[in-house]
Amino acid sequence: MSRKNKKRDPPEKWESRSEHERFVRIFESMYESPAFISLPANSVRLYLILKNEFRGNYTGNRIICPYDTIVSHGISRNTIRPNLRILEALGFIVIEEGTLMREASIYHFSDKWKEISDIKTAKHIVKEVRKQVQWEKDNRKELSQTYGDK
C-alpha cells in the first residue's frame, strides 16, 4: 500500500483572500540587513520569484526554476545571470546546477547574507560582481576562442 502525499493546509484567513493564493515571506531581519538593502531592484524581483517557486519538502528543499519561468515574470533573459551572481555573492542563494537552455537551474537558499555587517561592504560586492560580468561580456569573443566554444 502506497502513501498518499499529504495535502497542504489552506492558508489562514489572514494570509490570503482565497485558498489558492500564497504569500512570499521575507523576515524583517533580512529586509533590514545591509545585504538586502544594497540589492539592485531586479535582484530583489528575482529573489522574490525564487521564493515563490520554492515548494519546501515537495522538492527536497531545492528551488527548481528554469529561465523561462523567470522571463515570464518580467525579467529580461540578459539580466538573469548577472542578478543570480549578485544574489549568490551576497549570500542569498547557492547555485547547484543548470544551464541556459538544456536543463532547469537548481538553487538553494542560504543564510550567508547575515555575515555582511555594513552597507559599504555589500555595495562593494555588488560593484565587483558587476565589474566581473562586464569584463566577461567584453571578452566573450576572446574567451570562446581560447576555450574552443563550439
Side-chain angles (χ1 to χ4, degrees):
M1 190 166 160
S2 66
R3 285 182 164 170
K4 290 185 179 180
N5 285 342
K6 197 175 192 181
K7 290 187 178 181
R8 292 183 186 182
D9 292 332
E12 298 293 329
K13 289 182 181 180
W14 58 269
E15 289 183 311
S16 66
R17 292 176 289 216
S18 73
E19 65 182 58
H20 301 291
E21 284 186 346
R22 294 182 340 136
F23 278 89
V24 175
R25 294 180 180 168
I26 301 287
F27 290 104
E28 187 175 6
S29 61
M30 177 185 284
Y31 182 73
E32 293 178 350
S33 72
F36 194 83
I37 291 170
S38 68
L39 280 175
N42 273 338
S43 296
V44 172
R45 283 182 69 192
L46 181 56
Y47 184 76
L48 293 176
I49 291 167
L50 293 174
K51 287 285 278 187
N52 189 46
E53 292 298 312
F54 180 65
R55 299 292 183 253
N57 291 330
Y58 294 103
T59 58
N61 288 325
R62 299 179 306 163
I63 305 132
I64 301 169
C65 189
Y67 276 31
D68 291 338
T69 303
I70 298 169
V71 170
S72 71
H73 284 83
I75 294 184
S76 167
R77 187 173 285 277
N78 295 333
T79 62
I80 295 172
R81 186 69 187 145
N83 287 302
L84 284 172
R85 284 190 171 178
I86 289 170
L87 288 172
E88 187 177 31
L90 289 174
F92 289 99
I93 63 170
V94 175
I95 301 172
E96 185 179 314
E97 59 185 58
T99 58
L100 185 61
M101 301 275 195
R102 294 179 187 92
E103 57 188 65
S105 300
I106 298 173
Y107 311 97
H108 298 278
F109 288 120
S110 170
D111 285 340
K112 292 181 183 176
W113 56 268
K114 293 177 181 178
E115 298 171 4
I116 298 173
S117 59
D118 60 347
I119 294 176
K120 189 175 182 180
T121 304
K123 287 186 177 187
H124 178 71
I125 292 170
V126 171
K127 185 177 178 181
E128 290 299 314
V129 170
R130 286 184 167 166
K131 195 183 298 185
Q132 178 67 25
V133 167
Q134 186 62 44
W135 182 87
E136 289 174 3
K137 188 176 180 181
D138 293 341
N139 296 304
R140 185 174 297 149
K141 188 174 182 179
E142 293 174 24
L143 290 171
S144 65
Q145 289 173 353
T146 303
Y147 294 109
D149 206 17
K150 297 175 183 177

